[in-house]
Structures are given as C-alpha cells and as structure tokens.
C-alpha cells in the first residue's frame, strides 16, 4: 500500500519554464491537497480538491494551476516558473477533510527555480 | 501574529528526558493535528484531537479548547524521536483548510 506518491522528488527549472508535479493516492480518499513549505514558515495551502471534479484555491494559489484528473490523481502545474516558487511541495490526502480524518502526506518534491 | 504559534522553536534533550512541545492558537477550531517531519522531509500524522487527551506509545497529546492550547509530550525520549513536530489547526467554518505552525525542531542526543 503506497499511500500518497508524488513525483518528481527533485527538479531544477529555469525561470519561465513550465512543469507539472504529479500526485496519486491509493486510499480512495475524497480530499487532496497541495502545500508548499518554505523556511521559517508553516505549510501553506496552494489548492485543494474536496472531491473528484472540484478544486478550490488555498492561501497561495497565484502562479499555479491544478487538475483533479480522477479520484486518485491531483496534479499541480507551474505554467511559468519564478524564483519565488522555489520551495518544497507536498501533496496530501484525507478521507473526508482535514477536520475529522488523518491526513496523509507524500514524501515531498524539492523544486528550485533559477 | 500567526494564528498558530509553537514553542519552543528548537529543543535539545538527552535520551530519556520527558519532552513537552506547546501549541497555541488564536482562532476557533474544530480539530487540531500533530504531525512529525523527519530529516529528508516526510510528514506523518501523529494525532488528531478535538478534545481531551490521546496516547500512542510514548507520545501523549492534550488539548484545552477553552485556553486554545495543545501540548505534545514525549516520554523516555530517544534519538529516533529527533524530528520537526508540527501543530496544525482546522479553523471552524473553513472546511478542509488546515493552518500550520512553523514547527518545533527536536534533537535528542545520547
């Protein structure tokens, strides 16, 4: 049982390049999330999806787009990467939502934009 | 002021010591999570609390809703407990949106 799998683990991009971070969960969870983690700051929500076919903006959505392809997969796209998007990105999932259920995280994706 | 404040930011302890990490929050919440992040980055959920106290092995988490405060205790600490411990709260009325503290970095030495 893999849990939450996200790829790639490491990526270096040039300013202006695009890329997609992939995330998949095998726990049949409804809710999926993308967070970023920066030094000295708590995890911040970029986008989330409460169920298949729905997505909502989080705290820091600018510069990102998401797709909830199906119940398993939730991808995060950077259309034109900027150095400010250098961060560690975490995908997470939970059964109904963060309030009553355990939340499961992927291993993280280290992204550097130069 | 952050909605979720953790203290201390850094903590060094010797093996066997009793450890307490604190989390204070300023908003109404429906639940609070304690998470553990190991070197290398992986984040694991330890507890989810909405009231009272929970225990799992050497870990104990308590919450006082009236005082807007939670504590994570580690008994008989061990070097493998070295990690960053993160508190996260679910604000009342903000379904699915957790607000995270900046974490407490714990190092347990022999």
């Amino acid at each position: 049982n893999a849990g939450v799998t996200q790829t790639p683990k490491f990526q270096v991009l040039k300013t202006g390049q695009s890329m997609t971070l992939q995330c998949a969960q095998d726990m049949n969870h409804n809710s999926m999330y993308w967070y970023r983690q920066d030094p000295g700051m708590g995890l911040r929500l970029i986008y989330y999806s409460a169920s298949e076919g729905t997505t909502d903006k989080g705290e820091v959505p600018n510069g990102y787009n998401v797709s909830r392809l199906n119940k398993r997969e939730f991808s995060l796209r950077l259309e034109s990467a900027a150095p400010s998007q250098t961060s560690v990105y975490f995908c997470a999932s939970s059964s109904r939502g963060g309030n009553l259920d355990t939340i499961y995280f992927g291993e993280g994706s280290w992204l550097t934009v130069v | 002021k952050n909605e979720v404040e953790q203290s201390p930011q850094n903590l060094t302890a010797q093996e066997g010591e009793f450890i307490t990490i604190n989390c204070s929050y300023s908003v109404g919440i429906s639940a609070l999570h304690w998470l553990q992040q190991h070197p290398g980055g992986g984040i694991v959920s330890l507890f989810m609390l909405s009231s009272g106290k929970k225990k799992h092995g050497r870990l104990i988490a308590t919450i006082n809703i009236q005082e807007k405060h939670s504590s994570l205790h580690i008994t008989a600490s061990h070097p493998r407990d070295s990690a960053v411990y993160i508190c996260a709260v679910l604000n009342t009325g903000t379904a699915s949106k957790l607000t995270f503290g900046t974490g407490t970095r714990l190092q347990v030495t022999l």
Side-chain angles (χ1 to χ4, degrees):
Chain A
N1 197 351
V4 179
T5 304
Q6 57 180 106
T7 58
K9 192 164 179 74
F10 299 98
Q11 184 73 50
V12 179
L13 285 178
K14 293 182 179 179
T15 298
Q17 285 186 320
S18 62
M19 78 158 296
T20 300
L21 297 173
Q22 307 285 356
C23 176
Q25 51 89 11
D26 61 4
M27 296 171 282
N28 201 36
H29 285 167
N30 290 316
S31 299
M32 297 186 73
Y33 316 84
W34 276 106
Y35 295 95
R36 59 179 288 172
Q37 186 178 40
D38 300 294
M41 304 184 75
L43 286 152
R44 292 182 293 169
L45 182 65
I46 304 170
Y47 272 94
Y48 74 100
S49 171
S51 61
E52 183 180 354
T54 68
T55 61
D56 285 287
K57 294 179 180 179
E59 186 182 353
V60 287
N62 291 344
Y64 305 95
N65 286 301
V66 290
S67 295
R68 183 76 183 266
L69 304 169
N70 47 55
K71 194 170 187 180
R72 288 188 66 247
E73 298 173 291
F74 188 39
S75 62
L76 178 72
R77 183 161 179 83
L78 287 69
E79 291 291 352
S80 179
S84 61
Q85 293 178 303
T86 293
S87 188
V88 184
Y89 292 85
F90 288 93
C91 178
S93 73
S94 65
S95 180
R96 289 175 290 174
N99 56 332
L100 295 177
D101 293 316
T102 301
I103 186 165
Y104 295 85
F105 288 83
E107 291 293 306
S109 296
W110 275 254
L111 175 65
T112 301
V113 182
V114 298
Chain B
K1 187 177 185 299
N2 293 333
E3 290 183 345
V4 181
E5 297 275 357
Q6 289 186 236
S7 63
Q9 287 187 311
N10 296 283
L11 181 57
T12 300
Q14 285 196 316
E15 184 178 12
E17 286 186 10
F18 181 85
I19 289 162
T20 296
I21 298 170
N22 297 298
C23 176
S24 296
Y25 51 90
S26 58
V27 295
I29 70 167
S30 54
L32 181 145
H33 294 255
W34 279 104
L35 309 166
Q36 180 189 55
Q37 184 171 24
H38 273 284
I43 300 173
V44 176
S45 176
L46 298 174
F47 295 102
M48 191 284 297
L49 295 164
S50 54
S51 64
K53 176 180 175 179
K54 286 190 176 180
K55 184 176 189 293
H56 180 69
R58 295 181 294 106
L59 301 178
I60 303 166
T62 63
I63 188 168
N64 185 316
I65 296 292
Q66 288 73 30
E67 294 187 3
K68 292 187 166 66
H69 182 268
S70 176
S71 293
L72 176 68
H73 305 286
I74 304 175
T75 62
S77 59
H78 189 275
R80 65 176 174 266
D81 297 324
S82 297
V84 176
Y85 292 84
I86 301 169
C87 170
V89 302
L90 185 76
N91 299 27
T92 305
T94 59
S96 301
K97 295 181 184 180
L98 290 167
T99 302
F100 293 79
T102 55
T104 294
R105 185 174 300 275
L106 170 66
Q107 184 170 0
V108 181
T109 59
L110 292 169

